[in-house]
Amino acid sequence: MKKTFIILCLSFAVLTAKSQGVIGTWTGKLTVQNMQLTLTFHVNKDADGKHVCTMDSPDQSVKGVPTTVNLLTDDSLNVSIPSIAGTYAGKLEGNILKGTFTQFGCPFKIEMQRGEERLSRPQEPKQPFPYLTEEVKFTNEKASATFAGTLCYPVGYNAKSKKKVPVVLMVTGSGQENRNEEIFDHKPFLVLADFLARNGIASLRYDDRGTAESTGDATHSTMFDNAADALSGFKYLQSLRRFSTIGILGHSEGGCIAFILAAQGHPDFIVSLAGVGTRGDSLLLKQLYLALSAQSPKAVIDDYCKAMKDVYAYKEAHPHVENAEQALTDILQNAGVTMSQLQRTSLLETLKNENAWWLNFISTDMGEYVAKTRCPVMAINGAKDLQVTAKDNLDAIRRLLPSNKANLIKEYPDLNHLFQHCTTGQILEYRQIEETFSPEVMQDIVQWIKNLPVGHK
């Protein structure tokens, strides 16, 4: 889903420094296989006066990666990143920090300049807003979690009026995100909530469990735990008795949750933005194949994906693997494929993965929930979505979804997983694109919801 990072085996680099000349924030571009990856280094001192450094990889939506400092001089620095087998060595030359990042023996030159990269976000709304907003809280008592959110009322809304308006509960994608679904320096849910409010539709967006102002422990949360959180928000909206209809609008995993709750008969309608219609393991395998397709020969990719498919099946049957090395050897022998050491390492890490969300997701068939959904559905994808591919998932939804005249299933050309107009659909483009959310898609969402008759459930 949104958080699948796919840049080779390259993840994070860091740096630090001893002199005031290097203390501060530095940003540069790393070129990898004709792609650019933005790196930002934060060099500072902790409370004990010790030099520390963290790194951001904003194009991968990763921040605050810690470092180990090897050497500090007045104009030079050398650090290690054990978690990714990487190092950085650099020297200050004038106002430029020139250095080399190395990972798995592969060196990459990088020049850093002071400060962070600031990108334009023209769609982000600025206060004062022409509509009312209310800070609210609701609770999932079973999970001992309290959620903080923002309820946006449409322009001209009057609580004393007998005329009620539709409302959507906005559910984020995978990973713990704030109410704006802030990712890659974009705030898609803020932009969408603003557009809805300016066009007659209310919305409630909330911080995920254990994130920002929401409480609770998400360490072992699965998609179904997240669905229970969303249901608490839905019931909160019901309790207000202010709205004509209550729908669920979810992105990526949020789209899955919309189908899960719809299959249980809760919402009046759902809007699935790049929601999944297939099994979780099939989706992840397709993501993997597309991620590797620009980097390796087809035969290598085919063998690796075949092995990974068998690893997924093994993990579904054996969540806890006692001897991963032996298990992998057996899997590869049965599959009749051989792997490089780097590939074996990746497969081993997957065999050792005991993340509750991931284990649950690979064994979940979203088609079962699509088939039980009776309320009106708007299911949409971008044609250049490489994380939840439009054809595979929209075809599955179209095939399994019960007939309803109000249903709309649509694929948009030239849009990626975040519904931005794009060139390739690759994750590294997300942050560099100024557009946060396609105006055409937002307008279609508004029109579809407004055309739904009250009492259509």
Side-chain angles (χ1 to χ4, degrees):
M1 314 263 278
K2 302 202 290 295
K3 301 286 181 62
T4 305
F5 303 118
I6 57 174
I7 307 306
L8 301 176
C9 296
L10 184 152
S11 299
F12 325 119
V14 294
L15 65 90
T16 188
K18 185 174 183 180
S19 71
Q20 284 294 124
V22 189
I23 287 179
T25 297
W26 300 84
T27 299
K29 302 280 186 178
L30 197 66
T31 300
V32 183
Q33 293 189 343
N34 298 320
M35 296 182 292
Q36 286 198 322
L37 181 69
T38 306
L39 299 182
T40 299
F41 305 145
H42 303 282
V43 185
N44 214 323
K45 290 184 179 181
D46 62 17
D48 298 324
K50 179 182 177 181
H51 286 93
V52 293
C53 178
T54 60
M55 191 216 76
D56 301 337
S57 181
D59 294 335
Q60 295 177 301
S61 200
V62 174
K63 296 183 179 181
V65 182
T67 76
T68 299
V69 179
N70 299 322
L71 174 68
L72 294 170
T73 66
D74 288 345
D75 62 355
S76 299
L77 52 102
N78 184 299
V79 296
S80 299
I81 315 97
S83 62
I84 58 155
T87 62
Y88 176 86
K91 186 173 183 178
L92 191 61
E93 297 184 14
N95 294 322
I96 305 295
L97 194 59
K98 295 185 178 182
T100 301
F101 168 74
T102 303
Q103 186 180 33
F104 298 115
C106 298
F108 302 90
K109 297 291 185 182
I110 183 169
E111 294 188 356
M112 318 290 293
Q113 294 185 340
R114 286 191 182 275
E116 294 188 66
E117 183 179 46
R118 301 294 182 185
L119 301 177
S120 174
R121 297 291 181 255
Q123 288 179 294
E124 281 191 16
K126 302 292 188 296
Q127 295 187 9
F129 304 131
Y131 48 83
L132 296 175
T133 63
E134 181 183 357
E135 298 304 297
V136 302
K137 290 187 177 181
F138 60 89
T139 302
N140 179 346
E141 293 183 358
K142 186 177 180 180
S144 298
T146 298
F147 298 87
T150 301
L151 183 53
C152 288
Y153 297 96
V155 173
Y157 174 79
N158 184 349
K160 296 180 180 180
S161 172
K162 291 184 179 180
K163 183 180 180 181
K164 295 183 177 181
V165 298
V167 64
V168 293
L169 177 73
M170 306 176 77
V171 186
T172 67
S174 58
Q176 302 313 107
E177 296 174 338
N178 65 26
R179 69 193 70 185
N180 296 325
E181 202 189 31
E182 189 167 354
I183 190 168
F184 301 105
D185 292 341
H186 284 282
K187 300 176 182 178
F189 276 10
L190 173 63
V191 171
L192 184 52
D194 176 78
F195 191 89
L196 294 175
R198 293 172 188 269
N199 288 276
I201 300 170
S203 66
L204 171 59
R205 63 191 196 277
Y206 61 94
D207 300 327
D208 290 343
R209 188 188 299 192
T211 302
E213 298 178 37
S214 291
T215 66
D217 184 4
T219 306
H220 303 293
S221 290
T222 68
M223 180 166 62
F224 292 90
D225 294 314
N226 296 335
D229 293 343
L231 180 57
S232 297
F234 177 83
K235 289 181 176 180
Y236 169 76
L237 289 174
Q238 283 184 314
S239 72
L240 297 179
R241 299 184 180 276
R242 300 174 190 169
F243 306 105
S244 57
T245 53
I246 305 175
I248 297 175
L249 181 152
H251 178 229
S252 200
E253 182 194 357
C256 298
I257 290 171
F259 276 115
I260 290 169
L261 296 185
Q264 297 170 4
H266 294 293
D268 294 311
F269 64 89
I270 66 171
V271 178
S272 170
L273 304 172
V276 182
T278 62
R279 277 183 58 96
D281 52 2
S282 297
L283 178 85
L284 296 182
L285 282 170
K286 190 59 174 285
Q287 284 184 355
L288 181 63
Y289 187 90
L290 293 174
L292 296 174
S293 61
Q295 303 177 16
S296 304
K298 185 178 184 301
V300 173
I301 299 172
D302 288 345
D303 283 352
Y304 182 68
C305 288
K306 180 180 180 181
M308 187 63 82
K309 180 179 181 180
D310 290 346
V311 167
Y312 287 163
Y314 190 90
K315 284 296 292 183
E316 185 174 354
H318 307 88
H320 178 69
V321 181
E322 291 288 347
N323 189 335
E325 287 279 0
Q326 185 59 53
L328 179 59
T329 297
D330 294 342
I331 289 170
L332 296 179
Q333 286 180 346
N334 291 335
V337 296
T338 57
M339 297 285 108
S340 68
Q341 186 56 49
L342 192 59
Q343 290 172 322
R344 284 186 65 94
T345 298
S346 176
L347 292 168
L348 278 172
E349 288 302 311
T350 305
L351 274 173
K352 296 175 183 178
N353 189 353
E354 296 187 6
N355 176 270
W357 186 94
W358 180 81
L359 287 170
N360 172 263
F361 184 71
I362 62 171
S363 63
T364 298
D365 185 353
M366 282 307 306
E368 295 179 7
Y369 301 93
V370 173
K372 295 177 182 178
T373 296
R374 301 293 176 181
C375 68
V377 173
M378 180 180 187
I380 60 178
N381 273 77
K384 291 188 176 180
D385 187 338
L386 300 182
Q387 293 182 255
V388 180
T389 53
K391 178 172 174 53
D392 294 337
N393 291 280
L394 290 185
D395 280 357
I397 292 171
R398 191 177 288 109
R399 182 177 70 254
L400 296 169
L401 188 65
S403 178
N404 188 315
K405 290 182 180 180
N407 288 345
L408 173 63
I409 301 174
K410 184 174 181 178
E411 178 180 335
Y412 291 83
D414 299 321
L415 298 188
N416 61 21
H417 186 62
L418 299 188
F419 291 88
Q420 302 166 301
H421 288 88
C422 65
T423 302
T424 68
Q426 295 286 349
I427 288 177
L428 285 189
E429 281 188 323
Y430 294 174
R431 179 175 170 272
Q432 298 298 326
I433 297 171
E434 285 192 357
E435 181 181 69
T436 296
F437 207 103
S438 163
E440 175 192 357
V441 174
M442 292 193 289
Q443 185 59 54
D444 283 354
I445 292 171
V446 166
Q447 198 61 49
W448 184 78
I449 293 174
K450 284 188 171 182
N451 286 341
L452 293 174
V454 175
H456 47 263
K457 184 175 176 180

